[in-house]
Amino acid sequence: MSERIKTIVESTRTQHFITAVIVLNAITLGLETSAEAMAAFGPVLLAIDRLALLIFVVELTAKISVYRLRFFTSGWNWFDFVIVGISLVPGAGNLSVLRAFRIFRVLRLFSVVPKLRSVVQALLAAIPSGARFAEWFGTIGRSMYSLFEIMTFDNWSSGIVRPVMAVYPWAWVFFLPFIVVTSFAVLNLFIAIIVNTMQAQHEAELQQERRDERTEWLAGNSELAQEITELRRQVAALQTLLLKHETRS
């Protein structure tokens, strides 16, 4: 029975089926972000999402029953186990943070498709070894400082990257995306947040000044209105006196 399950789990047809389920689940997760799609097909999308999760659970259960403890010796199996396990956390459908983690199911393609898995392994192999460049990447602290130097363009090319690439020619696959993400994306994002905050604060100050000016204007008009009302009362009183005087005459 175990051998039969193993044959089914490792078959090419099963792998293609799981890949199709992952892609379909990714599409449904994307459609769930649309209010129009949820209004029209909400129950169907949720049903497909639950069915996909059930298929993933059955797949993992079958693998664990076949490989037992050997299942957890593979990093890719741990990857699948964690991603599916997050979706099974009670309340994951209600908490926005846990619900957002469902999108990571799409990353299971890296563990299911062998070619994608080879690409990830090649990228990991391209990361410089700490033992070879201990002065830059020997410890977590040194690695963080070296990456900070690269992010700020402080002698990053000739000082760190080129010596590393002389030993690991494919290390640029790691360094270039890191520079693009941190230096051009993250820093610009921080600058945009600061500028946006300053602009919002400036607009809030202008609105407060306008409110103060309006309050002063209303207060001034109120005093003027009171003076006009008093003046009208005095004029009316004077007219009354004149009428009385004319009547006596």
Side-chain angles (χ1 to χ4, degrees):
M1 186 65 180
S2 179
E3 289 297 327
R4 182 179 178 83
I5 296 176
K6 181 178 181 181
T7 302
I8 295 175
V9 169
E10 294 181 349
S11 66
T12 304
R13 184 175 298 178
T14 300
Q15 298 302 315
H16 290 169
F17 173 72
I18 296 298
T19 302
V21 173
I22 294 173
V23 173
L24 177 62
N25 192 208
I27 295 174
T28 58
L29 290 175
L31 291 175
E32 285 182 25
T33 61
S34 171
E36 292 80 4
M38 288 299 293
F41 309 103
V44 177
L45 296 176
L46 294 176
I48 294 175
D49 181 70
R50 294 190 182 96
L51 179 60
L53 179 59
L54 177 62
I55 293 173
F56 296 151
V57 172
V58 171
E59 179 203 10
L60 286 180
T61 303
K63 287 184 177 180
I64 293 174
S65 65
V66 170
Y67 300 110
R68 299 185 184 278
L69 294 179
R70 287 187 293 119
F71 174 86
F72 297 99
T73 60
S74 171
W76 291 109
N77 290 340
W78 271 106
F79 182 75
D80 293 343
F81 184 80
V82 170
I83 289 179
V84 176
I86 289 174
S87 300
L88 295 176
V89 174
N94 298 322
L95 297 178
S96 59
V97 176
L98 294 178
R99 189 168 60 247
F101 274 110
R102 294 186 304 165
I103 196 61
F104 287 122
R105 295 182 200 169
V106 183
L107 299 180
R108 290 203 63 219
L109 285 174
F110 290 103
S111 64
V112 174
V113 182
K115 290 185 178 180
L116 292 178
R117 190 164 58 224
S118 300
V119 170
V120 175
Q121 291 173 345
L123 289 175
L124 293 176
I127 298 177
S129 172
R132 193 65 179 269
F133 298 95
E135 69 275 18
W136 295 327
F137 304 101
T139 63
I140 294 179
R142 292 178 182 177
S143 299
M144 292 178 64
Y145 186 78
S146 298
L147 293 176
F148 180 77
E149 283 186 307
I150 296 173
M151 182 184 70
T152 56
F153 299 109
D154 182 17
N155 194 28
W156 68 277
S157 180
S158 59
I160 298 177
V161 176
R162 287 190 180 277
V164 172
M165 289 179 59
V167 180
Y168 299 96
W170 285 92
W172 64 269
V173 177
F174 167 76
F175 286 120
L176 290 185
F178 174 80
I179 292 172
V180 171
V181 171
T182 57
S183 299
F184 297 106
V186 177
L187 288 182
N188 287 337
L189 178 62
F190 287 158
I191 293 173
I193 292 174
I194 294 173
V195 172
N196 186 49
T197 303
M198 293 178 63
Q199 183 177 1
Q201 185 176 0
H202 179 65
E203 291 179 355
E205 292 176 352
L206 287 178
Q207 292 179 358
Q208 184 62 40
E209 290 179 358
R210 291 170 183 170
R211 284 194 294 268
D212 294 341
E213 291 176 356
R214 180 176 178 81
T215 301
E216 293 177 359
W217 181 80
L218 290 176
N221 285 347
S222 178
E223 294 177 358
L224 180 60
Q226 291 177 359
E227 292 178 357
I228 293 175
T229 302
E230 180 64 21
L231 182 60
R232 287 178 177 177
R233 188 185 64 79
Q234 293 177 1
V235 170
L238 182 59
Q239 289 177 344
T240 302
L241 290 174
L242 290 175
L243 289 174
K244 288 181 179 180
H245 179 72
E246 290 177 356
T247 302
R248 292 175 182 178
S249 303

